[in-house]
Amino acid sequence: MMQVANSKARLYKQKKAPLGSEILRFARRLRGYTQAESAANYGIEERTLRRWENREYSPRWNDVVGLVEDVYLLDILEVIGKINDCDASNH
């Protein structure tokens, strides 16, 4: 009985939502931007973006969405889906 419960738990393992820092780094690299280019296009300092991507500071959600959709011209939900796909294929 215990084996069945453990196998079901593995089948329905929930994916954790990616952090804002992961989303920003993934989207930037996907589009081929440097941190300096991204920051200049969004109107922030490069060190601010670097700190967000390095998890020194947590970006606000509206900044994550703004960068991804306005600067990188990507859909935020598609980026999250691609991150989850990459995580699934690496495990």
Side-chain angles (χ1 to χ4, degrees), residues 31-59:
R31 296 296 283 170
Y33 280 76
T34 65
Q35 286 179 335
E37 291 169 331
S38 299
N41 285 324
Y42 192 59
I44 59 174
E45 293 186 23
E46 180 182 354
R47 70 178 173 183
T48 300
L49 181 60
R50 184 176 58 248
R51 288 174 175 170
W52 286 347
E53 287 189 5
N54 292 334
R55 298 182 189 170
E56 293 174 33
Y57 296 107
S58 294

Side-chain angles (χ1 to χ4, degrees), residues 13-32:
K13 186 176 180 181
Q14 288 185 335
K15 296 178 184 176
K16 72 173 182 119
L19 298 173
S21 58
E22 295 170 317
I23 295 169
L24 291 175
R25 177 177 283 131
F26 184 88
R28 179 178 60 79
R29 290 178 175 172
L30 186 65
R31 296 296 283 170

Side-chain angles (χ1 to χ4, degrees), residues 31-89:
R31 296 296 283 170
Y33 280 76
T34 65
Q35 286 179 335
E37 291 169 331
S38 299
N41 285 324
Y42 192 59
I44 59 174
E45 293 186 23
E46 180 182 354
R47 70 178 173 183
T48 300
L49 181 60
R50 184 176 58 248
R51 288 174 175 170
W52 286 347
E53 287 189 5
N54 292 334
R55 298 182 189 170
E56 293 174 33
Y57 296 107
S58 294
R60 294 180 313 206
W61 183 244
N62 63 328
D63 287 321
V64 173
V65 173
L67 267 161
V68 170
E69 294 193 346
D70 298 338
V71 175
Y72 305 134
L73 304 175
L74 299 169
D75 181 68
I76 189 73
L77 296 177
E78 288 181 20
V79 172
I80 292 170
K82 288 180 182 182
I83 291 171
N84 286 335
D85 289 345
C86 287
D87 286 346
S89 65

